[in-house]
């Protein structure tokens, strides 16, 4: 009995893992284990012998069982400790720069524009890129025969054979989001609508997909003066300069009346662009007072409300601000280009923290 006891207690203490421990349990106290077999021999003993051996064997069995249970607990504690040690993670460590992706200039500029207009009380609105012909054109006072439809080099979606409803289009500008915002929220309204737009055009300054941000403010007593102030504030904040000079040129858009295109004073001296000085002018946006027919299409009463709207090319102002010469490179996913022109992922543009660094 003493030999058995020593043998099993030592083996249990030395057991390397749970399966070795289970083997020991079977060998000692399992159905055919050594101690179980000894207990069966009790039947063949004399009553006197049995009285001595019975309690001894039972005590040995209990001792081994509790040694097994204690070891099992110790092994599982050790396994948990090991797991906690290897899975330990210091969440206070800084991000590793070599593993950071970079933010594309279009995303960066969209965030910058959003931050600037948020500060002036504009919310962000969105609309679909596959747009109804009505939202993209008719509701914006561009009827079927209007030359603007042809000028915009529209991509038309396909309709099933026999379906003669007008086909949907890839939106050619963000202006349809004006209509959707009016339908959704009514007046008064102050939104910007950034997003992708599509026109069949391709050269150094045109890609078939590009980005615009639309602005729309509707209220009582809104005039061209409000439009001018908002755009000047925007341009100063965006280009991070104290003074800019804007030129409002009379223009024509079917959905605004009057309409103005806005140029910014700049210089190209030495091949680099500087905003706010020089003798050149660069067109950056279209704008105007929302046409009464457009308000009506958005279920807003033009006798009670007026508004201004504008549309800025995001890619274009990104090229200007960050000196990026070719628009096509924006969409080629060239890693070297992205590393050069990209922005740190954790530097979120804010008015107070700074737009760009
Ligand atoms: N939608 C016009 C364009 O794409 C821009 C614009 C927007 C003009 C709003 C006036 C008002 O060229």
């Amino acid at each position: 009995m003493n030999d058995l006891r020593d043998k099993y207690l030592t083996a249990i203490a030395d057991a390397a893992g749970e399966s070795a421990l289970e083997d020991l349990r079977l060998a000692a106290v399992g159905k055919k284990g050594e101690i179980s077999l000894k207990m069966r021999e009790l039947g063949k003993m004399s009553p006197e012998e049995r009285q001595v051996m019975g309690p001894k064997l039972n005590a040995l069995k209990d001792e081994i069982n509790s040694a097994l249970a204690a070891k099992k607990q110790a092994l599982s504690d050790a396994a948990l400790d090991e797991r906690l040690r290897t899975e330990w993670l210091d969440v206070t460590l800084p991000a590793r720069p070599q593993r950071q992706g970079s933010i594309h200039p279009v995303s960066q500029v969209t965030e910058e524009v959003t931050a600037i207009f948020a500060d002036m009380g504009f919310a962000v609105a969105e609309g679909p890129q596959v747009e109804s012909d009505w939202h993209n054109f008719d509701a914006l006072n561009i009827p079927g025969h209007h030359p603007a439809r042809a000028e915009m080099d529209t991509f038309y979606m396909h309709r099933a054979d026999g379906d003669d409803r007008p086909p949907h289009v890839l939106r050619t500008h963000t202006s349809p989001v004006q209509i959707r915002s009016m339908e959704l929220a009514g007046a008064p309204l102050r939104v910007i609508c950034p997003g992708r737009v599509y026109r069949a055009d391709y050269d150094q300054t045109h890609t078939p997909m590009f980005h615009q941000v639309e602005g729309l403010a509707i209220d009582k007593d809104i005039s061209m003066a409000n439009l001018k102030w908002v755009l000047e504030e925007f341009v100063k904040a965006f280009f991070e300069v104290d003074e800019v000079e804007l030129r409002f040129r009379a223009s024509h858009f079917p959905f605004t009346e009057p309409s103005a295109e806005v140029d910014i004073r700049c210089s190209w001296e030495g091949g680099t662009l500087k905003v706010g000085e020089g003798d050149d002018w660069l067109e950056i946006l279209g704008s105007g007072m929302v046409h009464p027919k457009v308000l009506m299409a958005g279920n807003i009463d033009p006798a009670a409300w007026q508004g201004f709207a504008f549309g800025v090319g995001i890619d274009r102002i990104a090229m200007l601000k960050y000196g990026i010469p070719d628009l096509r490179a924006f969409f080629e996913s060239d890693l070297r280009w992205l590393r050069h022109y990209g922005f740190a992922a954790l530097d979120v543009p804010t008015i107070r923290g700074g737009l760009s660094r």
Side-chain angles (χ1 to χ4, degrees):
M1 288 244 302
N2 277 340
D3 288 349
L4 265 182
R5 185 174 174 277
D6 289 348
K7 175 172 137 190
Y8 280 110
L9 290 183
T10 315
I12 288 169
D14 292 345
E18 299 206 19
S19 79
L21 198 64
E22 177 62 8
D23 290 346
L24 284 169
R25 189 185 69 80
L26 291 171
V29 296
K31 250 189 194 153
K32 290 180 182 154
E34 277 191 281
I35 292 165
S36 313
L37 293 176
K38 284 262 178 292
M39 291 181 110
R40 266 187 234 166
E41 289 170 15
L42 286 172
K44 295 180 220 152
M45 292 177 189
S46 67
E48 295 76 26
E49 275 179 318
R50 207 181 302 143
Q51 254 190 356
V52 181
M53 288 303 285
K56 279 194 176 176
L57 271 173
N58 267 323
L60 177 59
K61 191 181 168 191
D62 288 348
E63 191 177 0
I64 288 188
N65 270 329
S66 49
L68 283 165
K71 182 68 181 183
K72 190 168 181 183
Q73 186 63 50
L75 283 172
S76 96
D77 286 353
L80 181 62
D81 283 349
E82 174 63 12
R83 210 175 130 201
L84 289 175
R85 201 181 59 75
T86 54
E87 290 182 2
W88 184 80
L89 186 68
D90 186 350
V91 294
T92 67
L93 282 175
R96 291 176 198 155
Q98 70 272 28
R99 295 211 185 154
Q100 270 177 14
S102 66
I103 300 296
H104 193 283
V106 169
S107 304
Q108 168 76 18
V109 165
T110 304
E111 290 299 322
E112 292 181 19
V113 171
T114 304
I116 295 167
F117 280 104
D119 200 52
M120 294 196 263
F122 286 74
V124 173
E126 286 182 312
Q129 295 172 44
V130 174
E131 185 55 283
S132 78
D133 167 85
W134 186 82
H135 284 93
N136 195 81
F137 293 123
D138 299 81
L140 291 163
N141 194 31
I142 312 174
H145 57 266
H146 198 282
R149 292 213 186 194
E151 275 161 30
M152 284 212 185
D153 300 310
T154 312
F155 288 110
Y156 287 91
M157 305 299 288
H158 183 71
R159 281 261 189 225
D161 288 342
D163 184 342
D164 17 273
R165 289 173 298 167
H168 280 20
V169 301
L170 290 182
R171 68 179 179 196
T172 57
H173 49 180
T174 43
S175 300
V177 191
Q178 286 190 34
I179 305 295
R180 291 187 175 273
S181 306
M182 292 186 226
E183 289 174 330
L184 212 66
L189 192 60
R190 226 185 273 181
V191 288
I192 57 164
C193 328
R196 295 182 166 179
V197 300
Y198 302 83
R199 293 180 202 177
D201 209 349
Y202 191 69
D203 61 32
Q204 190 174 343
T205 50
H206 296 90
T207 49
M209 184 281 296
F210 59 105
H211 300 80
Q212 290 188 333
V213 57
E214 194 82 5
L216 174 67
I218 296 176
D219 214 321
K220 314 228 152 155
D221 304 321
I222 281 205
S223 74
M224 260 333 240
N226 302 114
L227 169 67
K228 216 175 157 208
W229 182 84
V230 164
L231 291 178
E232 268 164 7
E233 287 303 302
F234 162 66
V235 169
K236 275 192 280 187
F238 179 74
F239 288 104
E240 301 178 61
V241 290
D242 294 330
E243 281 312 318
V244 285
E245 200 181 330
L246 295 184
R247 181 169 77 176
F248 284 70
R249 243 178 326 105
S251 181
H252 177 77
F253 299 102
F255 34 91
T256 46
E257 182 58 39
S259 304
E261 279 174 299
V262 176
D263 306 331
I264 182 169
R265 185 186 282 281
C266 65
S267 96
W268 284 102
E269 233 172 66
T272 54
L273 178 79
K274 282 210 189 81
V275 166
E277 55 184 75
D279 297 320
D280 281 317
W281 293 94
L282 210 116
E283 185 196 321
I284 55 165
L285 61 91
S287 66
M289 299 303 293
V290 181
H291 196 290
K293 284 191 180 167
V294 174
L295 291 172
M296 281 194 286
N299 301 321
I300 290 176
D301 178 5
W305 303 94
Q306 309 94 54
F308 64 73
F310 56 86
V312 190
I314 292 184
D315 322 78
R316 180 164 267 224
I317 60 172
M319 291 169 79
L320 289 178
K321 180 166 179 181
Y322 295 112
I324 308 172
D326 192 329
L327 177 64
R328 289 169 296 196
F330 275 63
F331 310 114
E332 281 169 0
S333 300
D334 181 331
L335 266 184
R336 286 163 310 171
W337 187 92
L338 289 168
R339 285 196 190 106
H340 183 79
Y341 288 111
F343 292 81
L346 300 175
D347 288 345
V348 179
T350 61
I351 295 289
R352 267 143 216 93
L355 291 178
S356 62
R357 301 162 213 213

